[in-house]
Amino acid sequence: DQVVLMGGINTVSLFQADVAHVAAEAQRCIEEGQVAGGRFILGSGCAAPRATPLANLRVAAAVAHGEYITCV
């Protein structure tokens, strides 16, 4: 059986935090959400407010696609 988990970036962080914070949080979600042999869907905690900065949405997508490297 294959497991798929869904988890997300805190909605307030996505809306108010800077790009670096959103990238780090997205990376953390992915690392903590992946299980052996399973998959992970990255999203926001519950929704993305209409005024969420486009740069924050883009960086979250880039992290999910492995196109953004964060330094921890």
Side-chain angles (χ1 to χ4, degrees):
D1 293 332
Q2 192 174 44
V3 175
V4 178
L5 295 177
M6 181 173 173
I9 302 164
N10 181 288
T11 304
V12 175
S13 295
L14 190 61
F15 178 61
Q16 295 180 341
D18 61 26
V19 170
H21 180 89
V22 172
E25 192 166 336
Q27 186 64 43
R28 180 189 58 76
C29 288
I30 291 168
E31 289 171 0
E32 291 178 5
Q34 288 180 329
V35 293
R39 302 186 64 112
F40 182 76
I41 300 169
L42 179 67
S44 67
C46 60
R50 181 179 292 187
T52 298
L54 185 55
N56 287 358
L57 296 172
R58 286 184 172 154
V59 78
V63 170
H65 290 279
E67 300 167 356
Y68 186 93
I69 305 300
T70 59
C71 298
V72 180

